[in-house]
Amino acid sequence: MFHSKRSYWRKLDNAAKLFPATSNKKDTRVFRFYCIMKEDVKEEILQQAVEKALEKYPLFLSVMRKGLFWHYLEKSNLKPVVTEEFKEPCSNLYVRDKKSLLFEVTYYKRRINFEVFHVLTDGTGATCFLKEIVKHYIVLAYGEADIPLDKEHITIQDQESDSFRKYYSDLRREKKEKVKAYQIKTLRKARGPLQVTEAVLSVKEVLAKAREYQVSMTVFLTAVFLCAIHREMPKRQERHPVVLMVPVNLRNFFPSDSMLNFFGYIEPGYRFREGDTFEQVLAQVKTYFQEELTKERLSMRMNELIALEMNPILRVAPLELKNLGILGGAKMAASDVTAIFSNMSVVKMPEAYVPYIERFGVYTSTPKTELCMCSFEDKLSLGFTSRYDSMNIKRNFFSDIVRAWNTFESGRTRLSGGETCKCGGCKIFRVVLICLYCFCGDCGSGEYYTDTGKILGAHRIRRNLKYVDSVGNRVCKEI
């Protein structure tokens, strides 16, 4: 890689400017990208791997400061310290008025966790950094050759470039009045710790089913998610559409090597009526994706957001006043969507490294219900998160997928009601070809299950949020 000097400080990109104002304890704006290895992770080697990765991506060594008009990122000499996982996933990383790094790397048994505050990077940048960590870990631990990943000609200037500003133009959409989306109602008291439910499916199986409908995997799973939410929707609420926010990697439409945030979003939805079929939902979602996933349409959406930042009156407004405006705008925008579905796409590693890796996975902190997805080899990892009980939606989602595979033996393809934890706060579900990890927000128990019920790994989070080994001291029963 060509080396160039880092800037001492830099502005936040357009998307990043939203996160400091909207982050809080219940929505930390932190997401986790992780890699499960075939063997237990060694802390000292992982520490060296992180330091090696930072040589290529030094922009992660930044702290956020508060200016008069905007927040900004400042170069830092702080160094990350790798530790064993010890707190709730996606916990707060940004502490106001404190100089601290905006990411951390932890591990638990075979899992390497990379958590990052969204101000610093997006899913693409996080993927690149985690891949670099995993590469150096394999090189150091197993003596494999150091094989270059991604593009090696990228300079630090490329990494820190603001692609939003680069592609900003005067192109705008016609303004249309938005219909308020259906909102999943929960009591404030019912909101608690982040609940995580993960599943692993076969990429080939899901892709084959999607192709039967002549759609992409993302379109197929979007339609399944919409239908899963609708099944829990009160009849009187059907006047509102179920709408998903689907982030879009703009690098697929606008060439960029930036490691900063560079994503847009689309909002596929469906207004359900009695008698509507899955095929009807799928057809509408497919049409919406075809119309909205074009360079022109995405450019229009991007320009609308940047235009607010460029407004001469807003530019001179004090930061605290801007924060109030951003917070108010974010609350209004939240009523436009029901849930979120984020596809982090395919994670690729050199063939020499594949035998050491089990899979990659991703999930994020969220104030709503969110589904994140990524794949590695033939393993499609799905991660549901929410801070309220959304187990019925997850059950509906997986049961709809199971129903699509009518060639399975009926005795092994059911999604049962499951057994509950001692606290009654979570349930374990089992599906063939699916591995579920269930996290309980009340008793804090979590276990990995395969389709045969075998535990892949387990840990328990005590009420003081300290991780301890719970293998052999099971809290959840096997179905």
Side-chain angles (χ1 to χ4, degrees):
M1 186 185 81
F2 295 99
H3 292 277
S4 57
K5 190 176 180 180
R6 281 187 68 202
S7 302
Y8 184 76
W9 70 275
R10 60 180 170 84
K11 298 177 181 179
L12 301 188
D13 59 74
N14 179 262
K17 288 175 179 175
L18 304 176
F19 301 128
T22 56
S23 66
N24 53 62
K25 290 182 180 180
K26 296 298 182 184
D27 183 17
T28 61
R29 303 290 176 154
V30 171
F31 63 96
R32 169 182 288 194
F33 219 113
Y34 66 86
C35 176
I36 298 180
M37 309 295 290
K38 292 289 182 69
E39 297 180 352
D40 285 356
V41 175
K42 297 178 181 178
E43 183 177 306
E44 62 278 6
I45 298 179
L46 181 57
Q47 179 69 51
Q48 295 176 49
V50 172
E51 292 169 1
K52 287 280 188 181
L54 286 168
E55 292 176 10
K56 181 176 180 179
Y57 298 117
L59 80 163
F60 286 95
L61 295 175
S62 302
V63 297
M64 190 159 66
R65 306 299 304 277
K66 184 189 293 184
L68 179 61
F69 300 107
W70 290 110
H71 288 92
Y72 62 94
L73 290 172
E74 184 179 87
K75 182 179 176 181
S76 171
N77 292 321
L78 294 174
K79 300 297 180 184
V81 178
V82 172
T83 59
E84 188 173 13
E85 191 172 10
F86 65 95
K87 59 184 177 181
E88 179 182 308
C90 302
S91 295
N92 197 26
L93 291 176
Y94 168 53
V95 181
R96 286 175 172 80
D97 301 320
K98 181 181 177 182
K99 281 190 174 184
S100 59
L101 294 176
L102 303 176
F103 77 96
E104 65 181 21
V105 178
T106 60
Y107 69 96
Y108 180 77
K109 293 195 172 179
R110 295 182 296 122
R111 190 177 65 242
I112 298 172
N113 306 311
F114 171 59
E115 293 191 349
V116 62
F117 186 38
H118 221 322
V119 160
L120 206 54
T121 190
D122 58 11
T124 301
T127 304
C128 291
F129 188 58
L130 178 61
K131 285 169 59 178
E132 195 71 16
I133 292 173
V134 172
K135 180 192 81 168
H136 286 296
Y137 183 86
I138 292 171
V139 170
L140 292 167
Y142 303 105
E144 291 289 346
D146 188 338
I147 303 172
L149 303 179
D150 305 311
K151 300 176 182 178
E152 289 298 306
H153 66 276
I154 300 173
T155 65
I156 294 173
Q157 186 177 350
D158 291 330
Q159 295 177 20
E160 295 185 335
S161 65
D162 188 342
S163 295
F164 284 113
R165 286 180 174 269
K166 180 179 179 179
Y167 289 105
Y168 173 68
S169 69
D170 294 327
L171 193 63
R172 302 281 192 282
R173 290 186 303 171
E174 290 184 15
K175 289 189 177 181
K176 294 182 180 179
E177 186 176 350
K178 285 190 175 182
V179 180
K180 187 177 180 181
Y182 164 65
Q183 302 296 309
I184 301 170
K185 300 295 183 182
T186 59
L187 298 173
R188 283 187 174 272
K189 292 182 180 180
R191 294 176 179 266
L194 186 69
Q195 299 180 21
V196 181
T197 306
E198 293 190 275
V200 177
L201 292 77
S202 164
V203 173
K204 293 177 182 177
E205 297 282 351
V206 179
L207 192 56
K209 180 54 62 176
R211 284 173 176 169
E212 285 182 22
Y213 290 103
Q214 298 182 331
V215 297
S216 69
M217 188 190 298
T218 304
V219 170
F220 174 70
L221 293 178
T222 297
V224 173
F225 197 5
L226 289 170
C227 292
I229 295 172
H230 172 248
R231 285 167 62 182
E232 299 303 314
M233 191 176 181
K235 193 74 176 176
R236 58 188 177 84
Q237 290 290 337
E238 287 189 342
R239 67 181 185 275
H240 298 296
V242 179
V243 180
L244 299 181
M245 175 184 283
V246 179
V248 178
N249 182 6
L250 294 178
R251 297 170 185 83
N252 295 331
F253 299 87
F254 307 92
S256 171
D257 292 322
S258 176
M259 289 285 287
L260 310 186
N261 289 289
F262 190 44
F263 66 92
Y265 64 91
I266 57 175
E267 296 175 346
Y270 192 87
R271 180 171 285 166
F272 287 87
R273 298 173 181 81
E274 190 172 350
D276 285 351
T277 64
F278 174 72
E279 286 75 13
Q280 288 175 295
V281 178
L282 191 63
Q284 183 169 311
V285 172
K286 178 183 178 181
T287 300
Y288 181 88
F289 269 68
Q290 289 173 338
E291 292 174 350
E292 295 297 320
L293 284 183
T294 65
K295 187 173 182 177
E296 183 180 24
R297 295 292 294 175
L298 291 171
S299 180
M300 289 177 179
R301 286 178 175 271
M302 179 175 64
N303 293 336
E304 288 173 5
L305 296 174
I306 302 175
L308 292 173
E309 179 188 340
M310 297 291 189
N311 186 293
I313 297 176
L314 293 178
R315 289 178 69 177
V316 298
L319 177 60
E320 295 304 323
L321 190 59
K322 283 192 179 87
N323 284 344
L324 290 175
I326 291 171
L327 193 58
K331 288 182 178 179
M332 291 177 62
S335 65
D336 295 335
V337 296
T338 308
I340 306 163
F341 177 32
S342 184
N343 181 4
M344 301 293 185
S345 194
V346 181
V347 181
K348 296 181 180 179
M349 293 292 282
E351 285 298 321
Y353 300 158
V354 172
Y356 303 101
I357 301 170
E358 181 71 30
R359 65 180 178 91
F360 286 84
V362 61
Y363 53 81
T364 181
S365 172
T366 178
K368 294 180 176 285
T369 294
E370 182 158 351
L371 171 61
C372 292
M373 176 176 83
C374 74
S375 66
F376 175 71
E377 297 292 298
D378 190 43
K379 294 182 179 178
L380 180 68
S381 298
L382 301 172
F384 271 103
T385 48
S386 64
R387 290 192 179 273
Y388 50 82
D389 185 6
S390 59
M391 189 56 73
N392 282 6
I393 293 174
K394 301 167 192 174
R395 178 199 61 195
N396 296 343
F397 180 86
F398 292 123
S399 63
D400 285 346
I401 291 178
V402 171
R403 198 172 292 117
W405 276 272
N406 52 21
T407 57
F408 285 175
E409 297 175 17
S410 59
R412 298 188 68 198
T413 57
R414 66 185 180 86
L415 187 63
S416 70
E419 298 286 339
T420 58
C421 290
K422 292 179 180 179
C423 69
C426 77
K427 293 185 178 181
I428 305 297
F429 299 97
R430 176 165 65 92
V431 186
V432 68
L433 293 181
I434 296 181
C435 158
L436 289 179
Y437 168 74
C438 290
F439 174 81
C440 174
D442 294 321
C443 73
S445 62
E447 293 187 334
Y448 287 97
Y449 280 80
T450 64
D451 59 297
T452 60
K454 179 183 177 183
I455 297 178
L456 296 178
H459 63 265
R460 183 178 181 183
I461 306 176
R462 289 178 172 173
R463 292 194 179 276
N464 63 1
L465 298 180
K466 295 291 184 182
Y467 280 70
V468 296
D469 186 9
S470 67
V471 176
N473 182 26
R474 291 169 51 192
V475 182
C476 297
K477 297 179 181 178
E478 178 183 326
I479 303 176

